[in-house]
Amino acid sequence: MSKIQFESTESRLTILEPSKEFAEGLHTVVIRKDPLLGDTSVYNPFLKDKARLFFGENDAQLLRHLIESSGSTCFFCGEGVAKNTPKYPPALVPDGRLQVGEAILFPNLFSIAKYHAITALGRAHFLALSEFTPQLLFGGLSVNQEFLKAVYRDDQTILFAIVCANYLFPAGASLVHPHMQTLVSPVSHSYHNRLMAACRDYYQKEDSAYHEDLIAVEKEIGTRYIAQMGRWHWIAAFSPIGSNEVMAIHEHESDFAELTMEDIGALSYGISRVLHCYGSLGYLSFNYALYSSKKLAREEGQRSIIKIITRQNLYPNYRNDDYFLQKLLQSELIITLPEELTLKMRRFFSPECT
Ligand SMILES: [Zn+2]
């Protein structure tokens, strides 16, 4: 028996349906559990047909208005970065800000970690998801790696880093302009902490790294394994923690600072593929987070992983997709099954798709 178990529980229920003159309708609810953390997600096949009620289409006029009205006052556009954004002290970053390609990194004025960097990804104020090119993402990830290395050199207390993004207001972004945020800290955040603790426990019990075993078993099952790009393995999460969750696992490293240029290039390409696919499915807003722990933790079965999810689309009076289920029960609603998402994603990872 595999060391990793994919547990799901199906319940059947009867409802007298008004649309069928109160005849009996048989419904199904499936609860899935993440094999490592036990986090639950809920799938009701009937909701699939109602997806547009929950996730309406983006309103082009509203979107245009948001882009135009925010463009003239954007801190990240044109000369705004040099004039309006803060700098790091020279002891940490000699020039105050870091730049790779179009990406420019500077401190957040309102930090939520010991080091909280913002990266304006490029010159464009707005990007469709198909316009998040590997080159732009490579610049963003590279400049953040340079920053993490600078912090490591300067501060021995640092153990954890999260490279993340909110795109557009439904995802929590306060600015339209595409950007990344990186939190570097001596203390791990709740989810990252749970993830590392579970990996440590698994390693001690099974004498192998959970994510290495997950790659092997997902490859064998095949229905959620999307593609391998360099040393990254892209997989649709069995029990997602956000809509349309796709994750990539690095097969060896736990530390973002230890990734090679090839690793960052392959990761950039993969993220661009995922976003391109989301765009083709009608989504626009997303979050991602890359979890990194310093190299010393690698011996305890840690791996660097990135998780990407879609968020609610932009239209007037949209319904927030983060309700009691997510906020208070820490569970997620599955609209598109991970196995179906995998088939859609694979097309965007094929060599013919550019
Ligand atoms: Zn801008």
Side-chain angles (χ1 to χ4, degrees):
M1 195 164 81
S2 169
K3 291 184 273 188
I4 296 178
Q5 295 299 308
F6 298 96
E7 186 185 334
S8 65
T9 306
E10 185 174 307
S11 301
R12 289 172 178 239
L13 58 140
T14 302
I15 292 176
L16 308 185
E17 299 187 20
S19 61
K20 295 177 185 166
E21 296 180 343
F22 297 98
E24 285 189 356
L26 187 63
H27 291 235
T28 308
V29 173
V30 179
I31 305 222
R32 291 183 171 202
K33 272 192 183 177
D34 179 79
L36 182 67
L37 297 172
D39 288 345
T40 54
S41 55
V42 186
Y43 178 64
N44 177 337
F46 283 79
L47 274 178
K48 198 173 169 186
D49 302 330
K50 305 283 184 293
R52 283 293 159 213
L53 276 180
F54 293 103
F55 298 93
E57 290 176 13
N58 287 293
D59 183 310
Q61 203 178 347
L62 174 61
L63 188 59
R64 203 162 41 244
H65 170 73
L66 287 172
I67 296 165
E68 287 170 3
S69 62
S70 60
S72 59
T73 55
C74 180
F75 291 134
F76 300 168
C77 268
E79 299 306 307
V81 176
K83 275 199 297 197
N84 301 318
T85 61
K87 293 182 180 182
Y88 279 107
L92 181 63
V93 178
D95 294 331
R97 304 186 188 98
L98 293 169
Q99 181 160 9
V100 175
E102 289 187 37
I104 302 176
L105 179 147
F106 43 87
N108 191 339
L109 261 183
F110 309 102
S111 288
I112 57 165
K114 187 171 184 185
Y115 303 88
H116 182 173
I118 303 281
T119 302
L121 196 58
R123 288 184 278 274
H125 181 62
F126 169 81
L127 294 171
L129 295 199
S130 59
E131 295 171 320
F132 281 82
T133 62
Q135 291 78 9
L136 277 177
L137 292 159
F138 181 82
L141 291 170
S142 299
V143 82
N144 275 286
Q145 190 192 47
E146 205 177 316
F147 176 67
L148 181 58
K149 286 178 179 175
V151 176
Y152 277 175
R153 281 193 295 271
D154 199 55
D155 188 340
Q156 302 306 309
T157 69
I158 290 304
L159 291 173
F160 310 106
I162 311 284
V163 181
C164 40
N166 308 320
Y167 191 51
L168 300 178
F169 308 124
S174 55
L175 294 170
V176 168
H177 201 117
H179 58 285
M180 293 176 170
Q181 303 197 38
T182 293
L183 309 176
V184 183
S185 173
V187 181
S188 57
H189 293 82
S190 311
Y191 182 79
H192 194 190
N193 196 42
R194 285 174 60 220
L195 194 60
M196 289 187 296
C199 285
R200 201 176 299 122
D201 290 348
Y202 183 95
Y203 187 77
Q204 283 165 1
K205 188 171 156 222
E206 305 291 352
D207 200 25
S208 60
Y210 170 78
H211 285 104
E212 256 182 52
D213 290 350
L214 182 69
I215 292 167
V217 73
E218 289 287 21
K219 264 185 171 174
E220 194 182 321
I221 294 169
T223 52
R224 290 178 297 273
Y225 188 87
I226 297 166
Q228 179 174 358
M229 291 282 144
R231 295 197 287 172
W232 295 95
H233 296 262
W234 289 87
I235 295 167
F238 170 74
S239 180
I241 57 170
S243 295
N244 298 303
E245 183 195 330
V246 171
M247 62 177 163
I249 301 166
H250 193 278
E251 64 187 22
H252 184 65
E253 299 292 353
S254 67
D255 189 342
F256 182 58
E258 294 290 320
L259 299 184
T260 64
M261 284 296 105
E262 289 73 27
D263 287 329
I264 292 181
L267 179 62
S268 305
Y269 182 77
I271 297 171
S272 78
R273 296 294 84 203
V274 171
L275 297 182
H276 206 143
C277 179
Y278 285 161
S280 79
L281 298 172
Y283 298 102
L284 181 58
S285 202
F286 65 84
N287 295 112
Y288 60 71
L290 183 149
Y291 308 83
S292 163
S293 52
K294 209 170 181 178
K295 193 176 180 180
L296 59 90
R298 193 177 71 202
E299 279 64 51
E300 295 187 356
Q302 314 292 328
R303 293 293 181 274
S304 187
I305 64 172
I306 185 168
K307 287 172 170 273
I308 314 181
I309 59 172
T310 57
R311 298 302 302 272
Q312 180 59 277
N313 281 336
L314 266 169
Y315 53 89
N317 305 319
Y318 67 80
R319 161 197 161 276
N320 194 308
D321 60 4
D322 213 3
Y323 62 110
F324 70 83
L325 184 70
Q326 292 83 358
K327 292 294 282 184
L328 299 175
L329 303 185
Q330 297 187 347
S331 194
E332 186 49 75
L333 191 63
I334 300 173
I335 299 291
T336 303
L337 278 172
E339 293 75 12
E340 292 173 15
L341 180 65
T342 300
L343 298 175
K344 296 176 202 288
M345 281 286 164
R346 274 186 194 148
R347 291 206 293 272
F348 285 82
F349 277 82
S350 73
E352 299 85 56
C353 183
T354 55

Coordinates of all heavy atoms in Angstrom, one line a residue, residues 115-163:
Y115 N 11.4 41.5 7.0 CA 11.7 42.1 5.7 C 10.5 41.8 4.8 O 10.1 40.7 4.6 CB 12.9 41.4 5.1 CG 14.1 41.5 6.0 CD1 14.3 40.5 7.0 CD2 15.0 42.5 5.9 CE1 15.4 40.6 7.9 CE2 16.1 42.6 6.8 CZ 16.3 41.6 7.7 OH 17.4 41.7 8.6
H116 N 10.0 42.9 4.2 CA 8.8 42.7 3.4 C 9.0 43.6 2.1 O 8.9 44.8 2.1 CB 7.5 43.3 4.1 CG 6.3 43.1 3.4 ND1 5.0 43.4 3.9 CD2 6.0 42.8 2.1 CE1 4.1 43.2 3.0 NE2 4.6 42.8 1.9
A117 N 9.5 42.9 1.1 CA 9.8 43.6 -0.2 C 8.6 43.5 -1.2 O 7.9 42.6 -1.2 CB 11.0 42.9 -0.8
I118 N 8.5 44.6 -1.9 CA 7.6 44.7 -3.0 C 8.4 44.7 -4.3 O 9.4 45.3 -4.4 CB 6.8 46.0 -3.0 CG1 6.0 46.1 -1.6 CG2 5.8 46.1 -4.2 CD1 4.8 45.3 -1.5
T119 N 7.9 44.0 -5.3 CA 8.6 44.0 -6.6 C 7.6 44.5 -7.7 O 6.6 43.8 -7.9 CB 9.1 42.6 -7.0 OG1 10.0 42.2 -5.9 CG2 9.8 42.7 -8.3
A120 N 7.8 45.6 -8.3 CA 7.0 46.0 -9.5 C 7.5 45.1 -10.6 O 8.7 45.2 -10.9 CB 7.2 47.5 -9.8
L121 N 6.6 44.3 -11.2 CA 7.1 43.3 -12.1 C 7.6 43.8 -13.4 O 8.6 43.3 -14.0 CB 5.9 42.3 -12.3 CG 6.3 40.9 -12.9 CD1 7.2 40.2 -12.0 CD2 5.0 40.1 -13.1
G122 N 7.0 44.8 -13.9 CA 7.4 45.4 -15.2 C 6.8 46.7 -15.4 O 6.2 47.3 -14.5
R123 N 7.0 47.3 -16.7 CA 6.5 48.6 -16.9 C 5.0 48.7 -17.1 O 4.4 49.7 -16.9 CB 7.3 49.2 -18.2 CG 8.7 49.5 -17.9 CD 9.4 50.1 -19.1 NE 9.8 49.1 -20.1 CZ 11.0 48.4 -20.0 NH1 11.8 48.7 -19.1 NH2 11.3 47.5 -20.9
A124 N 4.4 47.6 -17.6 CA 3.0 47.6 -17.9 C 2.1 47.8 -16.7 O 2.4 47.1 -15.7 CB 2.6 46.3 -18.6
H125 N 1.2 48.7 -16.7 CA 0.3 48.9 -15.6 C -0.7 47.8 -15.4 O -1.2 47.5 -14.3 CB -0.5 50.3 -15.8 CG -1.4 50.6 -14.7 ND1 -0.9 50.9 -13.4 CD2 -2.7 50.8 -14.7 CE1 -2.0 51.2 -12.7 NE2 -3.1 51.1 -13.4
F126 N -1.1 47.1 -16.5 CA -2.0 46.0 -16.5 C -1.6 45.0 -17.5 O -1.1 45.3 -18.5 CB -3.5 46.5 -16.9 CG -4.4 45.4 -17.1 CD1 -5.1 44.8 -16.0 CD2 -4.7 44.9 -18.4 CE1 -5.9 43.7 -16.2 CE2 -5.6 43.8 -18.6 CZ -6.2 43.2 -17.5
L127 N -1.8 43.7 -17.1 CA -1.5 42.6 -18.0 C -2.6 41.6 -18.0 O -3.2 41.3 -16.9 CB -0.2 41.8 -17.5 CG 1.1 42.6 -17.5 CD1 2.2 41.7 -16.8 CD2 1.6 42.9 -18.9
A128 N -3.0 41.2 -19.2 CA -3.9 40.0 -19.3 C -3.1 38.8 -18.8 O -1.8 38.9 -18.8 CB -4.4 39.8 -20.7
L129 N -3.7 37.7 -18.4 CA -2.9 36.6 -17.9 C -2.0 36.0 -18.9 O -0.9 35.5 -18.5 CB -3.9 35.5 -17.3 CG -4.7 35.9 -16.1 CD1 -5.2 34.7 -15.3 CD2 -4.0 36.9 -15.1
S130 N -2.4 36.1 -20.2 CA -1.5 35.6 -21.2 C -0.2 36.5 -21.4 O 0.7 36.1 -22.1 CB -2.2 35.4 -22.5 OG -2.7 36.7 -22.9
E131 N -0.2 37.6 -20.8 CA 0.9 38.6 -20.9 C 1.9 38.5 -19.8 O 2.9 39.2 -19.8 CB 0.4 40.0 -21.1 CG -0.4 40.2 -22.3 CD -1.1 41.5 -22.4 OE1 -1.7 42.0 -21.3 OE2 -1.2 42.1 -23.5
F132 N 1.7 37.6 -18.8 CA 2.7 37.4 -17.8 C 3.7 36.4 -18.4 O 3.6 35.2 -18.3 CB 2.1 36.7 -16.6 CG 1.4 37.7 -15.7 CD1 0.1 38.1 -15.9 CD2 2.0 38.2 -14.5 CE1 -0.6 39.0 -15.1 CE2 1.3 39.2 -13.7 CZ 0.0 39.6 -14.0
T133 N 4.7 37.0 -19.1 CA 5.6 36.2 -19.9 C 6.7 35.6 -18.9 O 6.9 36.1 -17.8 CB 6.4 37.0 -20.9 OG1 7.1 38.1 -20.2 CG2 5.5 37.7 -21.9
P134 N 7.3 34.5 -19.4 CA 8.4 33.9 -18.6 C 9.5 34.9 -18.3 O 10.1 34.9 -17.2 CB 8.9 32.7 -19.5 CG 7.8 32.4 -20.3 CD 7.0 33.7 -20.6
Q135 N 9.8 35.8 -19.2 CA 10.8 36.8 -19.1 C 10.5 37.7 -17.9 O 11.3 38.0 -17.1 CB 11.0 37.7 -20.3 CG 11.6 36.9 -21.5 CD 10.6 36.0 -22.2 OE1 9.4 36.1 -22.0 NE2 11.1 35.2 -23.1
L136 N 9.2 38.2 -17.8 CA 8.8 39.1 -16.8 C 8.9 38.4 -15.4 O 9.4 38.9 -14.4 CB 7.4 39.6 -17.0 CG 7.1 40.8 -17.9 CD1 5.6 41.0 -18.0 CD2 7.8 42.0 -17.4
L137 N 8.4 37.2 -15.4 CA 8.4 36.4 -14.1 C 9.8 36.1 -13.7 O 10.1 36.1 -12.5 CB 7.5 35.1 -14.3 CG 6.0 35.4 -14.4 CD1 5.3 34.3 -15.1 CD2 5.4 35.8 -13.1
F138 N 10.7 35.8 -14.7 CA 12.0 35.5 -14.4 C 12.7 36.7 -13.7 O 13.4 36.5 -12.7 CB 12.8 35.1 -15.6 CG 14.2 34.7 -15.4 CD1 14.6 33.5 -15.0 CD2 15.2 35.7 -15.6 CE1 15.9 33.1 -14.7 CE2 16.6 35.3 -15.3 CZ 16.9 34.1 -14.9
G139 N 12.5 37.9 -14.2 CA 13.0 39.1 -13.6 C 12.5 39.2 -12.2 O 13.3 39.5 -11.3
G140 N 11.2 39.0 -12.0 CA 10.6 39.2 -10.6 C 11.2 38.1 -9.6 O 11.6 38.5 -8.5
L141 N 11.3 36.9 -10.1 CA 11.8 35.8 -9.2 C 13.3 36.0 -8.9 O 13.8 35.9 -7.8 CB 11.5 34.4 -9.8 CG 10.0 34.0 -9.8 CD1 9.9 32.8 -10.6 CD2 9.5 33.8 -8.4
S142 N 14.0 36.4 -9.9 CA 15.5 36.6 -9.8 C 15.8 37.7 -8.8 O 16.7 37.6 -8.0 CB 16.1 36.9 -11.1 OG 15.9 35.8 -12.0
V143 N 15.1 38.8 -9.0 CA 15.4 39.9 -8.1 C 15.1 39.6 -6.6 O 15.7 40.0 -5.7 CB 14.7 41.2 -8.6 CG1 13.3 41.3 -8.2 CG2 15.5 42.5 -8.2
N144 N 14.0 38.8 -6.4 CA 13.7 38.4 -5.1 C 14.7 37.4 -4.5 O 15.0 37.4 -3.3 CB 12.3 37.8 -5.1 CG 11.2 38.8 -4.9 OD1 11.1 39.4 -3.9 ND2 10.6 39.2 -6.0
Q145 N 15.3 36.5 -5.4 CA 16.3 35.6 -4.9 C 17.6 36.4 -4.5 O 18.2 36.1 -3.4 CB 16.7 34.6 -6.0 CG 17.6 33.5 -5.4 CD 18.2 32.7 -6.4 OE1 18.8 33.1 -7.4 NE2 18.2 31.3 -6.2
E146 N 17.9 37.5 -5.3 CA 19.0 38.3 -4.9 C 18.8 39.0 -3.6 O 19.7 39.1 -2.8 CB 19.1 39.4 -6.0 CG 20.5 39.9 -6.2 CD 20.6 40.9 -7.4 OE1 20.0 40.7 -8.4 OE2 21.2 42.0 -7.2
F147 N 17.5 39.4 -3.4 CA 17.2 40.0 -2.1 C 17.3 39.1 -0.9 O 17.9 39.4 0.1 CB 15.8 40.6 -2.2 CG 15.3 41.2 -0.9 CD1 15.8 42.4 -0.4 CD2 14.2 40.6 -0.2 CE1 15.4 42.9 0.8 CE2 13.8 41.2 1.0 CZ 14.4 42.3 1.5
L148 N 16.8 37.8 -1.1 CA 16.9 36.8 0.0 C 18.4 36.5 0.3 O 18.7 36.4 1.5 CB 16.1 35.6 -0.5 CG 16.1 34.4 0.6 CD1 15.5 34.9 1.9 CD2 15.4 33.2 0.1
K149 N 19.2 36.4 -0.7 CA 20.6 36.2 -0.5 C 21.2 37.3 0.3 O 22.1 37.1 1.2 CB 21.4 36.0 -1.8 CG 21.1 34.7 -2.4 CD 21.8 34.6 -3.8 CE 21.5 33.2 -4.5 NZ 22.2 33.2 -5.8
A150 N 20.8 38.6 0.0 CA 21.4 39.8 0.7 C 20.9 39.7 2.2 O 21.7 40.0 3.1 CB 20.9 41.0 0.0
V151 N 19.7 39.3 2.4 CA 19.2 39.2 3.8 C 19.9 38.1 4.6 O 20.3 38.3 5.7 CB 17.6 39.0 3.8 CG1 17.2 38.8 5.3 CG2 16.9 40.2 3.2
Y152 N 20.1 37.0 3.9 CA 20.8 35.9 4.6 C 22.2 36.4 5.0 O 22.7 36.0 6.1 CB 21.0 34.7 3.6 CG 19.8 33.8 3.5 CD1 19.9 32.7 2.5 CD2 18.7 33.8 4.3 CE1 18.8 31.8 2.4 CE2 17.7 32.9 4.2 CZ 17.7 31.9 3.2 OH 16.7 31.0 3.1
R153 N 22.9 37.1 4.1 CA 24.2 37.6 4.5 C 24.2 38.5 5.7 O 25.1 38.6 6.5 CB 24.8 38.4 3.3 CG 25.4 37.5 2.2 CD 26.2 38.3 1.2 NE 25.5 39.3 0.4 CZ 24.8 39.0 -0.7 NH1 24.9 37.8 -1.3 NH2 24.2 40.0 -1.3
D154 N 23.1 39.3 5.8 CA 23.1 40.4 6.8 C 22.5 40.0 8.1 O 22.7 40.6 9.1 CB 22.3 41.5 6.2 CG 22.5 42.8 6.9 OD1 23.7 43.2 7.0 OD2 21.5 43.4 7.4
D155 N 21.6 38.9 8.1 CA 20.8 38.6 9.3 C 20.8 37.0 9.5 O 20.1 36.3 8.7 CB 19.4 39.2 9.0 CG 18.5 39.0 10.3 OD1 18.9 38.2 11.2 OD2 17.5 39.8 10.4
Q156 N 21.5 36.6 10.5 CA 21.6 35.1 10.7 C 20.3 34.5 11.3 O 20.2 33.3 11.4 CB 22.7 34.8 11.7 CG 24.1 35.3 11.2 CD 24.4 34.8 9.8 OE1 24.3 33.6 9.5 NE2 24.8 35.7 8.8
T157 N 19.4 35.4 11.7 CA 18.1 34.9 12.3 C 17.1 34.4 11.3 O 16.1 33.7 11.6 CB 17.4 35.9 13.2 OG1 16.9 37.0 12.3 CG2 18.4 36.6 14.2
I158 N 17.4 34.7 10.0 CA 16.3 34.5 9.0 C 16.3 33.0 8.6 O 17.3 32.4 8.3 CB 16.6 35.3 7.8 CG1 16.3 36.8 8.1 CG2 15.8 34.9 6.6 CD1 14.9 37.1 8.6
L159 N 15.1 32.4 8.6 CA 15.0 31.0 8.2 C 13.9 30.8 7.1 O 14.0 29.8 6.4 CB 14.5 30.2 9.5 CG 15.5 30.0 10.6 CD1 14.9 29.3 11.8 CD2 16.7 29.2 10.1
F160 N 13.0 31.7 7.0 CA 11.8 31.5 6.1 C 11.6 32.6 5.2 O 11.8 33.8 5.5 CB 10.5 31.2 7.0 CG 10.8 30.3 8.1 CD1 10.9 30.7 9.4 CD2 10.9 28.9 7.8 CE1 11.1 29.7 10.4 CE2 11.1 28.0 8.8 CZ 11.3 28.4 10.1
A161 N 11.1 32.2 4.0 CA 10.7 33.2 3.0 C 9.5 32.8 2.2 O 9.4 31.6 1.9 CB 11.9 33.5 2.0
I162 N 8.7 33.7 1.9 CA 7.5 33.4 1.1 C 7.5 34.5 -0.1 O 7.5 35.7 0.2 CB 6.2 33.6 1.8 CG1 6.2 32.9 3.2 CG2 5.0 33.2 1.0 CD1 6.0 31.4 3.1
V163 N 7.5 34.0 -1.3 CA 7.4 34.9 -2.5 C 6.0 34.8 -3.0 O 5.5 33.7 -3.3 CB 8.4 34.5 -3.6 CG1 8.2 35.5 -4.8 CG2 9.8 34.5 -3.0

